[in-house]
Amino acid sequence: MKTIDSLGDLTGKKVLVRSDLNVPLDGTTITDDGRVRASVPTIEKLLAAGAAVIVTAHLGRPKGAPEDKYSLAPAAARLSELLGKPVSLASDLVGESAKATAAALEPGQVAMLENVRFDARETSKVDDEREALAGELAALADVFVSDGFGVVHRKQASVYDIAKMLPAAAGLLVQKEVESLSKAVTDPARPYAVVLGGSKVSDKLGVIANLLTKADRLLIGGGMVFTFLKAQGYEVGSSLLEEDQLDTVKGYLATAKENGVEIVLPTDIVAAAGFAADAEHDVVAADAIPADRMGLDIGPDSATLFASKIVDAKTIVWNGPMGVFEFDAFAGGTKAVAQAMIDSDGFSVVGGGDSAAAVRILGFDEAGFGHISTGGGASLELLEGKTLPGLAVLEG
Ligand code: ADP
Ligand code: MG
């Protein structure tokens, strides 16, 4: 993969950087600025090299037309604070404002284009449409740097097509993400423990299938665990259950056995009367979930068990919270897993949007982890061992 250094002398060049600034917002307040912070090193490196930087990014899911609530203004303001310099935001993507902003930009200065998904061509399935937008973006700059790791699994104009039109390279974030996640998939130090949770088995089939042949231990929690427990013949009450995945899960259990992969399932469950922060709840054995209760977290014995399987591992990959961590009463399992990853001296990788958010929301020090991925879908696809279009196009 080509890196920024391969682009040669950038003095006086205009560099278009695709960043991932898709942050959660409460009105116009950013509730987790992790992705903005992750975009800073590449921008600073380019500025230090004497370039002018034009950032392009998306926010939320606008329907191919401008919508105030999806303006990148909050992200531009936060980026400006983090860089300690102004970030001028064009009022459009490739229109008069963008052209004027790009033309006026001097080396050492930073500008941002409005939400790239305000233009329907960005995500079009028609090559010509995407290429037309990519051409208009390319006209604003001399060089392209792909640093929006969260979108590299997308064949989109600002991710894929533009990389064919300008000299292009991966930014520091994309480089770090790929190195960390690839290491965990291709060359893990052992023992190698994989911790999977989150809401559904069906979201993670490819990841489970791929890691099942590579890991030494597979720990399962979160909403998906109930399909595993049911596959073992246990009743799961009103917990999240995907009946249509039972055979697939039975297949996973058999494959694990054949490959000598240790599957670790919870022995106890925090079972609640309903899905609410203040729902009445108790700890029950994993094989004795009452019919009218739903499991919202792994229990305390399981948390201790999971921690013991993580702490002495040399590689740990975690995707998916162990419980409904958004509610304090059901955050115990997720906290125990995060703490064990910090306590381990192995290389620990957190993949998945909600898992990364959980680490920050629950107050853990990000520096305690080997790598916290900024990309939900992209990190899952790398863990599946897939080829990602936005990365393939950067190969030199
Ligand atoms: P990631 O984004 O890290 O890949 P997912 O999107 O798969 O994770 O899942 C995250 C969600 O799973 C969280 O919002 C969490 O509340 C939910 N979850 C975890 N455990 C359970 C459970 N036992 N029942 C229902 N939802 C759960
Ligand atoms: Mg998620």
mmCIF file of all heavy atoms in Angstrom, residues 154-181:
data_model
loop_
_atom_site.group_PDB
_atom_site.id
_atom_site.type_symbol
_atom_site.label_atom_id
_atom_site.label_comp_id
_atom_site.label_asym_id
_atom_site.label_seq_id
_atom_site.Cartn_x
_atom_site.Cartn_y
_atom_site.Cartn_z
ATOM 1 N N ARG A 154 -15.973 0.674 1.156
ATOM 2 C CA ARG A 154 -17.002 1.184 0.250
ATOM 3 C C ARG A 154 -16.393 1.596 -1.089
ATOM 4 O O ARG A 154 -15.373 2.292 -1.110
ATOM 5 C CB ARG A 154 -17.668 2.427 0.860
ATOM 6 C CG ARG A 154 -18.255 2.195 2.235
ATOM 7 C CD ARG A 154 -19.516 1.396 2.147
ATOM 8 N NE ARG A 154 -20.187 1.330 3.436
ATOM 9 C CZ ARG A 154 -20.992 0.347 3.785
ATOM 10 N NH1 ARG A 154 -21.215 -0.659 2.950
ATOM 11 N NH2 ARG A 154 -21.582 0.349 4.953
ATOM 12 N N LYS A 155 -17.051 1.206 -2.156
ATOM 13 C CA LYS A 155 -16.607 1.629 -3.492
ATOM 14 C C LYS A 155 -17.334 2.932 -3.803
ATOM 15 O O LYS A 155 -18.335 2.950 -4.504
ATOM 16 C CB LYS A 155 -16.955 0.536 -4.504
ATOM 17 C CG LYS A 155 -16.249 0.675 -5.815
ATOM 18 C CD LYS A 155 -16.499 -0.542 -6.695
ATOM 19 C CE LYS A 155 -15.834 -0.383 -8.047
ATOM 20 N NZ LYS A 155 -16.065 -1.533 -8.916
ATOM 21 N N GLN A 156 -16.828 4.033 -3.236
ATOM 22 C CA GLN A 156 -17.487 5.334 -3.370
ATOM 23 C C GLN A 156 -16.544 6.349 -4.018
ATOM 24 O O GLN A 156 -15.331 6.155 -4.036
ATOM 25 C CB GLN A 156 -17.983 5.796 -1.985
ATOM 26 C CG GLN A 156 -19.058 4.826 -1.473
ATOM 27 C CD GLN A 156 -19.569 5.099 -0.068
ATOM 28 O OE1 GLN A 156 -18.965 5.845 0.687
ATOM 29 N NE2 GLN A 156 -20.672 4.462 0.272
ATOM 30 N N ALA A 157 -17.145 7.415 -4.546
ATOM 31 C CA ALA A 157 -16.376 8.382 -5.333
ATOM 32 C C ALA A 157 -15.187 8.945 -4.560
ATOM 33 O O ALA A 157 -14.069 8.996 -5.068
ATOM 34 C CB ALA A 157 -17.293 9.522 -5.793
ATOM 35 N N SER A 158 -15.412 9.357 -3.295
ATOM 36 C CA SER A 158 -14.355 10.016 -2.523
ATOM 37 C C SER A 158 -13.407 9.031 -1.859
ATOM 38 O O SER A 158 -12.493 9.440 -1.140
ATOM 39 C CB SER A 158 -14.984 10.924 -1.456
ATOM 40 O OG SER A 158 -15.550 10.138 -0.425
ATOM 41 N N VAL A 159 -13.661 7.745 -2.057
ATOM 42 C CA VAL A 159 -12.844 6.712 -1.425
ATOM 43 C C VAL A 159 -12.077 5.928 -2.484
ATOM 44 O O VAL A 159 -10.864 5.724 -2.371
ATOM 45 C CB VAL A 159 -13.744 5.715 -0.643
ATOM 46 C CG1 VAL A 159 -12.895 4.611 -0.009
ATOM 47 C CG2 VAL A 159 -14.574 6.447 0.403
ATOM 48 N N TYR A 160 -12.800 5.542 -3.524
ATOM 49 C CA TYR A 160 -12.275 4.601 -4.509
ATOM 50 C C TYR A 160 -11.928 5.280 -5.838
ATOM 51 O O TYR A 160 -10.775 5.271 -6.273
ATOM 52 C CB TYR A 160 -13.313 3.501 -4.717
ATOM 53 C CG TYR A 160 -12.990 2.527 -5.807
ATOM 54 C CD1 TYR A 160 -12.080 1.496 -5.588
ATOM 55 C CD2 TYR A 160 -13.594 2.625 -7.061
ATOM 56 C CE1 TYR A 160 -11.767 0.600 -6.599
ATOM 57 C CE2 TYR A 160 -13.299 1.730 -8.073
ATOM 58 C CZ TYR A 160 -12.380 0.719 -7.834
ATOM 59 O OH TYR A 160 -12.085 -0.160 -8.832
ATOM 60 N N ASP A 161 -12.931 5.919 -6.456
ATOM 61 C CA ASP A 161 -12.719 6.445 -7.809
ATOM 62 C C ASP A 161 -11.649 7.536 -7.847
ATOM 63 O O ASP A 161 -10.837 7.594 -8.763
ATOM 64 C CB ASP A 161 -14.046 6.956 -8.380
ATOM 65 C CG ASP A 161 -15.095 5.858 -8.394
ATOM 66 O OD1 ASP A 161 -15.118 5.079 -9.353
ATOM 67 O OD2 ASP A 161 -15.862 5.750 -7.408
ATOM 68 N N ILE A 162 -11.667 8.396 -6.838
ATOM 69 C CA ILE A 162 -10.710 9.505 -6.856
ATOM 70 C C ILE A 162 -9.272 9.021 -6.749
ATOM 71 O O ILE A 162 -8.349 9.649 -7.281
ATOM 72 C CB ILE A 162 -11.031 10.532 -5.737
ATOM 73 C CG1 ILE A 162 -10.174 11.768 -5.949
ATOM 74 C CG2 ILE A 162 -10.857 9.934 -4.358
ATOM 75 C CD1 ILE A 162 -10.599 12.973 -5.220
ATOM 76 N N ALA A 163 -9.078 7.884 -6.094
ATOM 77 C CA ALA A 163 -7.713 7.359 -5.926
ATOM 78 C C ALA A 163 -7.104 6.937 -7.254
ATOM 79 O O ALA A 163 -5.895 6.749 -7.360
ATOM 80 C CB ALA A 163 -7.728 6.192 -4.948
ATOM 81 N N LYS A 164 -7.942 6.787 -8.266
ATOM 82 C CA LYS A 164 -7.428 6.441 -9.594
ATOM 83 C C LYS A 164 -7.123 7.689 -10.422
ATOM 84 O O LYS A 164 -6.531 7.602 -11.481
ATOM 85 C CB LYS A 164 -8.474 5.622 -10.350
ATOM 86 C CG LYS A 164 -8.801 4.305 -9.692
ATOM 87 C CD LYS A 164 -9.653 3.545 -10.676
ATOM 88 C CE LYS A 164 -10.255 2.315 -10.105
ATOM 89 N NZ LYS A 164 -11.147 1.699 -11.078
ATOM 90 N N MET A 165 -7.578 8.847 -9.924
ATOM 91 C CA MET A 165 -7.462 10.070 -10.730
ATOM 92 C C MET A 165 -6.327 10.973 -10.314
ATOM 93 O O MET A 165 -5.903 11.833 -11.079
ATOM 94 C CB MET A 165 -8.769 10.859 -10.642
ATOM 95 C CG MET A 165 -9.913 10.096 -11.256
ATOM 96 S SD MET A 165 -11.410 11.075 -11.177
ATOM 97 C CE MET A 165 -12.567 9.922 -11.927
ATOM 98 N N LEU A 166 -5.877 10.856 -9.073
ATOM 99 C CA LEU A 166 -4.778 11.687 -8.569
ATOM 100 C C LEU A 166 -3.703 10.759 -8.011
ATOM 101 O O LEU A 166 -4.002 9.622 -7.661
ATOM 102 C CB LEU A 166 -5.276 12.587 -7.422
ATOM 103 C CG LEU A 166 -6.217 13.744 -7.750
ATOM 104 C CD1 LEU A 166 -6.661 14.427 -6.455
ATOM 105 C CD2 LEU A 166 -5.550 14.753 -8.677
ATOM 106 N N PRO A 167 -2.449 11.253 -7.918
ATOM 107 C CA PRO A 167 -1.474 10.467 -7.154
ATOM 108 C C PRO A 167 -2.075 10.215 -5.768
ATOM 109 O O PRO A 167 -2.566 11.160 -5.144
ATOM 110 C CB PRO A 167 -0.250 11.386 -7.072
ATOM 111 C CG PRO A 167 -0.425 12.377 -8.181
ATOM 112 C CD PRO A 167 -1.918 12.543 -8.371
ATOM 113 N N ALA A 168 -2.091 8.962 -5.321
ATOM 114 C CA ALA A 168 -2.840 8.633 -4.101
ATOM 115 C C ALA A 168 -2.018 7.783 -3.146
ATOM 116 O O ALA A 168 -1.155 7.009 -3.571
ATOM 117 C CB ALA A 168 -4.116 7.886 -4.478
ATOM 118 N N ALA A 169 -2.312 7.941 -1.856
ATOM 119 C CA ALA A 169 -1.629 7.139 -0.842
ATOM 120 C C ALA A 169 -2.520 6.996 0.377
ATOM 121 O O ALA A 169 -3.465 7.760 0.565
ATOM 122 C CB ALA A 169 -0.320 7.815 -0.438
ATOM 123 N N ALA A 170 -2.195 6.017 1.199
ATOM 124 C CA ALA A 170 -2.906 5.820 2.463
ATOM 125 C C ALA A 170 -2.380 6.805 3.496
ATOM 126 O O ALA A 170 -1.180 7.052 3.564
ATOM 127 C CB ALA A 170 -2.690 4.405 2.969
ATOM 128 N N GLY A 171 -3.269 7.345 4.304
ATOM 129 C CA GLY A 171 -2.865 8.194 5.418
ATOM 130 C C GLY A 171 -2.415 7.354 6.605
ATOM 131 O O GLY A 171 -2.475 6.119 6.586
ATOM 132 N N LEU A 172 -1.973 8.040 7.653
ATOM 133 C CA LEU A 172 -1.410 7.352 8.817
ATOM 134 C C LEU A 172 -2.439 6.492 9.537
ATOM 135 O O LEU A 172 -2.122 5.423 10.040
ATOM 136 C CB LEU A 172 -0.832 8.380 9.796
ATOM 137 C CG LEU A 172 0.311 9.236 9.249
ATOM 138 C CD1 LEU A 172 0.706 10.302 10.270
ATOM 139 C CD2 LEU A 172 1.513 8.359 8.899
ATOM 140 N N LEU A 173 -3.698 6.960 9.578
ATOM 141 C CA LEU A 173 -4.725 6.182 10.275
ATOM 142 C C LEU A 173 -5.018 4.885 9.522
ATOM 143 O O LEU A 173 -5.038 3.803 10.114
ATOM 144 C CB LEU A 173 -6.014 7.004 10.443
ATOM 145 C CG LEU A 173 -7.175 6.225 11.062
ATOM 146 C CD1 LEU A 173 -6.840 5.792 12.491
ATOM 147 C CD2 LEU A 173 -8.459 7.044 11.054
ATOM 148 N N VAL A 174 -5.210 5.003 8.220
ATOM 149 C CA VAL A 174 -5.481 3.807 7.422
ATOM 150 C C VAL A 174 -4.326 2.820 7.542
ATOM 151 O O VAL A 174 -4.526 1.613 7.726
ATOM 152 C CB VAL A 174 -5.765 4.188 5.948
ATOM 153 C CG1 VAL A 174 -5.635 2.987 5.022
ATOM 154 C CG2 VAL A 174 -7.169 4.779 5.830
ATOM 155 N N GLN A 175 -3.101 3.353 7.499
ATOM 156 C CA GLN A 175 -1.926 2.496 7.624
ATOM 157 C C GLN A 175 -1.916 1.744 8.956
ATOM 158 O O GLN A 175 -1.713 0.538 9.005
ATOM 159 C CB GLN A 175 -0.701 3.411 7.594
ATOM 160 C CG GLN A 175 0.396 2.994 6.656
ATOM 161 C CD GLN A 175 1.562 3.960 6.844
ATOM 162 O OE1 GLN A 175 1.412 5.191 6.746
ATOM 163 N NE2 GLN A 175 2.723 3.410 7.129
ATOM 164 N N LYS A 176 -2.191 2.483 10.038
ATOM 165 C CA LYS A 176 -2.157 1.874 11.372
ATOM 166 C C LYS A 176 -3.278 0.849 11.531
ATOM 167 O O LYS A 176 -3.079 -0.239 12.087
ATOM 168 C CB LYS A 176 -2.297 2.978 12.429
ATOM 169 C CG LYS A 176 -2.328 2.491 13.858
ATOM 170 C CD LYS A 176 -2.167 3.665 14.820
ATOM 171 C CE LYS A 176 -2.217 3.215 16.279
ATOM 172 N NZ LYS A 176 -3.559 3.342 16.871
ATOM 173 N N GLU A 177 -4.452 1.184 11.039
ATOM 174 C CA GLU A 177 -5.592 0.260 11.122
ATOM 175 C C GLU A 177 -5.273 -1.048 10.401
ATOM 176 O O GLU A 177 -5.497 -2.135 10.929
ATOM 177 C CB GLU A 177 -6.830 0.890 10.469
ATOM 178 C CG GLU A 177 -7.415 2.078 11.222
ATOM 179 C CD GLU A 177 -8.460 1.678 12.253
ATOM 180 O OE1 GLU A 177 -8.611 0.472 12.553
ATOM 181 O OE2 GLU A 177 -9.130 2.593 12.776
ATOM 182 N N VAL A 178 -4.766 -0.915 9.175
ATOM 183 C CA VAL A 178 -4.511 -2.099 8.359
ATOM 184 C C VAL A 178 -3.412 -2.950 8.994
ATOM 185 O O VAL A 178 -3.530 -4.173 9.095
ATOM 186 C CB VAL A 178 -4.157 -1.700 6.911
ATOM 187 C CG1 VAL A 178 -3.708 -2.902 6.108
ATOM 188 C CG2 VAL A 178 -5.365 -1.045 6.245
ATOM 189 N N GLU A 179 -2.347 -2.289 9.459
ATOM 190 C CA GLU A 179 -1.261 -3.049 10.085
ATOM 191 C C GLU A 179 -1.759 -3.807 11.305
ATOM 192 O O GLU A 179 -1.470 -4.987 11.472
ATOM 193 C CB GLU A 179 -0.106 -2.114 10.487
ATOM 194 C CG GLU A 179 0.811 -1.811 9.312
ATOM 195 C CD GLU A 179 1.718 -0.601 9.564
ATOM 196 O OE1 GLU A 179 1.859 -0.174 10.731
ATOM 197 O OE2 GLU A 179 2.280 -0.089 8.565
ATOM 198 N N SER A 180 -2.532 -3.128 12.168
ATOM 199 C CA SER A 180 -2.975 -3.757 13.417
ATOM 200 C C SER A 180 -3.945 -4.897 13.156
ATOM 201 O O SER A 180 -3.815 -5.982 13.722
ATOM 202 C CB SER A 180 -3.663 -2.728 14.311
ATOM 203 O OG SER A 180 -2.796 -1.662 14.553
ATOM 204 N N LEU A 181 -4.926 -4.653 12.299
ATOM 205 C CA LEU A 181 -5.950 -5.675 12.069
ATOM 206 C C LEU A 181 -5.388 -6.837 11.253
ATOM 207 O O LEU A 181 -5.711 -7.991 11.524
ATOM 208 C CB LEU A 181 -7.178 -5.055 11.394
ATOM 209 C CG LEU A 181 -7.965 -4.089 12.283
ATOM 210 C CD1 LEU A 181 -8.839 -3.160 11.457
ATOM 211 C CD2 LEU A 181 -8.835 -4.842 13.289
#
